[in-house]
Amino acid sequence: MGKAKVTKRGSATSAPYDRPSKNPAANNVFKFSKDFGQHILKNPGIAEAIVNKANLKPTDTVLEVGPGTGNLTVKILEQAKKVIAVEMDPRMAAETTKRVQGKPEQKRLEVLLGDVIKTTLPSFDVCISNTPYQISSPLVFKLLSMPNPPRTCVLMFQREFAMRLTARPNDPLYCRLSVNAQFWARITHILKVGRNNFRPPPQVDSSVVRIEPKLGSERPNISFEEWDGMLRICFNRRNKTLRASWLGNKQVLLLIERNYRLWCATNDIPVDDDPVQVDDDDEMWEVVGDEVVPVPPAMDVDEEDDIQPSFFEPETNTQVEKTRSHKTFPKVYLLVKEKVRRVLEDVTELADKRSGKCDENDFLRLLGAFNAEGIHFS
């Protein structure tokens, strides 16, 4: 016969004076949303270090993105004049407001409910953020493209994203983000933060970076949209040569043709839309006077793996004559294609270089050469 189950002293019961559960989920006021990428920084020492790295002044207005439960917010309010906190989750916005309710700091905190990427932001001096991972890239681009960017930004990202911000040419993580961030700002890695400093802990470690946008005479006198538009095409296939990225993509050429037509219309330059029939669109064509003539193709080997032994190649029947396709294009399309070829091969000589190996000066030369040909990207 089984023994009756006896409740021991100190065991888990439903009594009001029981010890709290060791399960963190049981003690949370609410569940954190994965959709918003909510990982609350729980280490007050790291929160204080992040705020100190911003070098705040007593007159500063600080933008905080994703304040969560306000752990960073209260630290910022100790040093700054005002905090503008932008939060997507109404529950988190309420928690942040409660932290200063009934205190003098309440008047210096403004909470905006909404998406920071879509929100028209008021003027601010510094940005501090434990950034939700879904908006890492859009937030950086928004801050850098502002007409009057903040003096400094101290932002926490997933570690790999932070490493992309500081990557240099030939680095496997070097990308469009790297070029843009380093062209418009000075980027410094200042702190590594382990995953156990968050609740709930994320799957990867984080890093804090300082982004100081170039201001005044240091700021490049180039349209951000123009610069970024060109980089989008270059890094669409970062491990391919620039020739393959630009001339091997019909959609890219059609986009450039559209932009070229717009530029011609703005500058009262006539566009020749006369149809021209050409053989095999995979060949390159150039406009010489009123004639359209083929350009001898250049070999573009992008990777060593592209070269395979001959016995892997399919057998071809030399007795069957291949039919060449005839396609019609407006002459302006072929003119634009020739302009792109001339910029890549003759002017900049970057046709055989890959985007992942190009530095800032290479991209500046490329943009200048395209603009000289009337090709723009914004």
Side-chain angles (χ1 to χ4, degrees), residues 100-112:
V100 295
Q101 195 169 13
K103 299 179 181 179
E105 293 87 350
Q106 182 176 356
K107 296 180 180 180
R108 297 190 286 116
L109 173 63
E110 178 183 354
V111 178
L112 301 179

Side-chain angles (χ1 to χ4, degrees), residues 250-286:
K250 295 178 184 178
Q251 295 301 318
V252 167
L253 290 172
L254 289 172
L255 173 66
I256 297 173
E257 180 199 350
R258 186 189 66 187
N259 289 352
Y260 180 72
R261 287 177 178 272
L262 180 61
W263 179 81
C264 289
T266 304
N267 293 274
D268 296 325
I269 298 176
V271 173
D272 191 347
D273 272 324
D274 290 343
V276 178
Q277 191 177 72
V278 296
D279 295 330
D280 191 357
D281 185 38
D282 290 334
E283 292 185 17
M284 260 201 275
W285 300 81
E286 63 178 339

Side-chain angles (χ1 to χ4, degrees), residues 99-171:
R99 295 289 295 269
V100 295
Q101 195 169 13
K103 299 179 181 179
E105 293 87 350
Q106 182 176 356
K107 296 180 180 180
R108 297 190 286 116
L109 173 63
E110 178 183 354
V111 178
L112 301 179
L113 191 61
D115 185 348
V116 68
I117 306 302
K118 300 177 182 178
T119 302
T120 301
L121 300 172
S123 177
F124 59 96
D125 305 297
V126 177
C127 180
I128 298 177
S129 171
N130 174 16
T131 313
Y133 67 89
Q134 299 98 325
I135 65 167
S136 297
S137 184
L139 178 62
V140 171
F141 282 117
K142 177 162 186 170
L143 293 172
L144 293 178
S145 63
M146 294 179 67
N148 297 303
R151 184 179 73 246
T152 186
C153 307
V154 177
L155 311 174
M156 181 149 54
F157 299 113
Q158 289 185 348
R159 181 160 178 79
E160 182 177 328
F161 183 87
M163 294 299 99
R164 289 182 183 275
L165 284 172
T166 57
R168 301 296 298 168
N170 296 314
D171 190 310

Side-chain angles (χ1 to χ4, degrees), residues 97-364:
T97 303
K98 287 179 184 178
R99 295 289 295 269
V100 295
Q101 195 169 13
K103 299 179 181 179
E105 293 87 350
Q106 182 176 356
K107 296 180 180 180
R108 297 190 286 116
L109 173 63
E110 178 183 354
V111 178
L112 301 179
L113 191 61
D115 185 348
V116 68
I117 306 302
K118 300 177 182 178
T119 302
T120 301
L121 300 172
S123 177
F124 59 96
D125 305 297
V126 177
C127 180
I128 298 177
S129 171
N130 174 16
T131 313
Y133 67 89
Q134 299 98 325
I135 65 167
S136 297
S137 184
L139 178 62
V140 171
F141 282 117
K142 177 162 186 170
L143 293 172
L144 293 178
S145 63
M146 294 179 67
N148 297 303
R151 184 179 73 246
T152 186
C153 307
V154 177
L155 311 174
M156 181 149 54
F157 299 113
Q158 289 185 348
R159 181 160 178 79
E160 182 177 328
F161 183 87
M163 294 299 99
R164 289 182 183 275
L165 284 172
T166 57
R168 301 296 298 168
N170 296 314
D171 190 310
L173 294 177
Y174 186 66
C175 59
R176 165 177 157 247
L177 174 71
S178 315
V179 181
N180 256 323
Q182 295 170 35
F183 184 67
W184 297 96
R186 289 179 293 275
I187 316 291
T188 310
H189 181 275
I190 57 177
L191 187 64
K192 182 178 178 181
V193 182
R195 67 194 74 180
N196 292 328
N197 291 288
F198 299 90
R199 187 179 76 251
Q203 296 181 352
V204 296
D205 292 337
S206 299
S207 284
V208 181
V209 298
R210 182 192 291 115
I211 301 177
E212 299 174 283
K214 297 176 182 177
L215 305 174
S217 60
E218 291 185 350
R219 189 169 179 81
N221 189 23
I222 295 175
S223 166
F224 179 86
E225 290 76 16
E226 179 93 357
W227 173 259
D228 185 53
M230 185 194 71
L231 292 180
R232 282 177 182 272
I233 299 174
C234 291
F235 282 96
N236 186 41
R237 303 164 72 185
R238 69 177 296 275
N239 290 323
K240 298 292 184 181
T241 63
L242 291 175
R243 178 189 288 107
S245 297
W246 291 82
L247 293 172
N249 191 324
K250 295 178 184 178
Q251 295 301 318
V252 167
L253 290 172
L254 289 172
L255 173 66
I256 297 173
E257 180 199 350
R258 186 189 66 187
N259 289 352
Y260 180 72
R261 287 177 178 272
L262 180 61
W263 179 81
C264 289
T266 304
N267 293 274
D268 296 325
I269 298 176
V271 173
D272 191 347
D273 272 324
D274 290 343
V276 178
Q277 191 177 72
V278 296
D279 295 330
D280 191 357
D281 185 38
D282 290 334
E283 292 185 17
M284 260 201 275
W285 300 81
E286 63 178 339
V287 180
V288 180
D290 293 330
E291 300 295 327
V292 179
V293 298
V295 177
M299 180 167 291
D300 182 14
V301 180
D302 295 310
E303 302 290 345
E304 292 182 1
D305 295 339
D306 292 341
I307 304 175
Q308 57 182 357
S310 58
F311 52 79
F312 280 118
E313 297 177 358
E315 294 183 1
T316 57
N317 186 356
T318 56
Q319 296 179 353
V320 179
E321 185 177 357
K322 186 177 179 181
T323 303
R324 302 186 70 183
S325 61
H326 298 274
K327 296 186 179 180
T328 302
F329 296 93
K331 189 176 287 187
V332 64
Y333 173 84
L334 301 174
L335 174 64
V336 166
K337 195 170 185 178
E338 164 60 11
K339 284 176 175 287
V340 173
R341 186 205 65 78
R342 187 161 57 238
V343 166
L344 294 176
E345 296 183 1
D346 302 337
V347 181
T348 64
E349 298 181 347
L350 293 172
D352 295 319
K353 202 167 183 179
R354 290 164 172 76
S355 297
K357 299 181 182 298
C358 292
D359 58 20
E360 182 180 296
N361 292 328
D362 291 331
F363 291 119
L364 279 172

